Amino acid sequence: MKIDKSPETIHKMFNSVAQRYDSLNNLMSFGTHNYVKYMSIKNLDIKPHDSVLDLCCGTGDLARIVKKIQPEAHVTGIDFSEKMLEIAVSKNPNIPARQVKYIQGDVTDLPYDNNSFDFVTMGFGLRNISNAEKAVEEAYRVLRPQGCFLHLDFGKKNIVSKIYDKTTPLLIRLASGNSISYSYLINSKKIFPLPEELIKDFESKGFKLKKREDYLLGVISAQIMTK
Ligand SMILES: C[S@@+](CC[C@H](N)C(=O)[O-])C[C@H]1O[C@@H](n2cnc3c(N)ncnc32)[C@H](O)[C@@H]1O
């Protein structure tokens, strides 16, 4: 299966779904994505004043959860879709110390020095990047030694996952009248490596596996890697 993952196409697609992204995520996952995101961040044991970079932050779910769990952390979210970022920024609280800093940028070319962050996170992002290897290399480069990289995305391709693949486009069509972007989601999910393959890819870039956590019968998987 060939999918167009050129940065231009992906950028345009996320800009066009940005307004509906959160509500469709809630619908497609029956709200469970919030639980999975919360649990995977909780696993990281982020301390006050730790620095956290959320790659492909989108509308800011993971970055906000970090701030909720550890309000004293310094959190930056980066994404190339200005429309997704507009929504993320609009969700920042009024108190400056409680805010996430959002930056527009490409995660395959991060504007940070080597070893800059204690944690790097990425949820449901890598699957959309044509040069995924470069994004992983960049995550490794900006992470400090012994820091943690959390990668979260779809995992096992089991019966639950297959039911999801069949029902999602239908749900989206009923809810929004447009299933084009979400057919992309299903197709990108089908060709995305399994968690065990991803771990090998991450290890080939220098990461070491700290922990793997599977959620929702393995449909979603988190890999926590150290540098
Ligand atoms: C499926 S969304 C995930 C958003 C968020 N992390 C979440 O869990 O809801 C994928 C995001 O990756 C962003 N993205 C894709 N390729 C990117 C790249 N090369 N650089 C920066 N952002 C990128 C898209 O703009 C989009 O906001």
Side-chain angles (χ1 to χ4, degrees):
M1 184 185 304
K2 194 121 179 70
I3 305 182
D4 179 7
K5 286 195 195 177
S6 67
E8 297 73 26
T9 304
I10 298 297
H11 176 252
K12 201 170 152 198
M13 182 180 78
F14 280 102
N15 267 351
S16 73
V17 300
Q19 281 300 330
R20 293 171 294 146
Y21 180 81
D22 288 337
S23 49
L24 290 176
N25 248 359
N26 287 332
L27 176 75
M28 286 185 308
S29 72
F30 300 102
T32 56
H33 74 107
N34 296 306
Y35 161 80
V36 167
K37 286 171 176 168
Y38 184 88
M39 293 308 290
S40 61
I41 295 291
K42 190 104 185 127
N43 254 322
L44 295 178
D45 194 24
I46 299 169
K47 302 276 188 279
H49 311 298
D50 277 348
S51 53
V52 183
L53 178 66
D54 184 30
L55 305 174
C56 296
C57 65
T59 57
D61 278 2
L62 287 181
R64 264 192 315 280
I65 292 170
V66 172
K67 268 301 213 186
K68 189 171 178 186
I69 293 176
Q70 182 45 266
E72 303 301 321
H74 304 289
V75 187
T76 305
I78 184 163
D79 200 288
F80 66 12
S81 161
E82 60 278 16
K83 298 288 178 203
M84 295 286 273
L85 288 175
E86 272 170 28
I87 293 169
V89 170
S90 75
K91 293 183 173 185
N92 256 339
N94 283 331
I95 312 148
R98 293 285 177 268
Q99 292 179 355
V100 173
K101 184 173 160 193
Y102 290 107
I103 305 277
Q104 186 177 15
D106 190 327
V107 302
T108 63
D109 184 17
L110 290 171
Y112 299 107
D113 292 338
N114 298 349
N115 311 323
S116 298
F117 293 91
D118 298 303
F119 292 89
V120 175
T121 59
M122 188 189 235
F124 306 92
L126 199 59
R127 194 165 25 85
N128 304 297
I129 303 175
S130 57
N131 195 351
E133 268 195 55
K134 189 71 200 329
V136 177
E137 285 166 10
E138 282 292 86
Y140 188 84
R141 183 182 69 74
V142 301
L143 187 65
R144 69 149 169 87
Q146 279 88 51
C148 277
F149 171 51
L150 163 74
H151 178 261
L152 179 72
D153 209 317
F154 291 100
K156 288 180 188 162
K157 296 176 170 80
N158 55 19
I159 183 73
V160 185
S161 157
K162 284 183 182 133
I163 293 169
Y164 176 91
D165 292 355
K166 290 268 177 259
T167 52
T168 300
L170 188 65
L171 271 177
I172 301 305
R173 201 172 305 129
L174 287 174
S176 72
N178 171 8
S179 62
I180 295 166
S181 307
Y182 286 84
S183 307
Y184 161 84
L185 183 154
I186 301 302
N187 290 336
S188 68
K189 187 172 162 293
K190 275 184 189 153
I191 60 167
F192 194 55
L194 291 166
E196 45 274 28
E197 294 164 345
L198 278 176
I199 290 166
K200 284 199 186 117
D201 292 344
F202 297 155
E203 286 172 341
S204 77
K205 299 294 173 196
F207 284 112
K208 291 180 267 310
L209 178 66
K210 184 175 182 195
K211 196 175 184 185
R212 170 181 164 179
E213 285 277 324
D214 288 340
Y215 302 101
L216 310 175
L217 302 170
V219 172
I220 306 288
S221 182
Q223 305 88 44
I224 301 176
M225 313 295 299
T226 57
K227 178 167 172 179

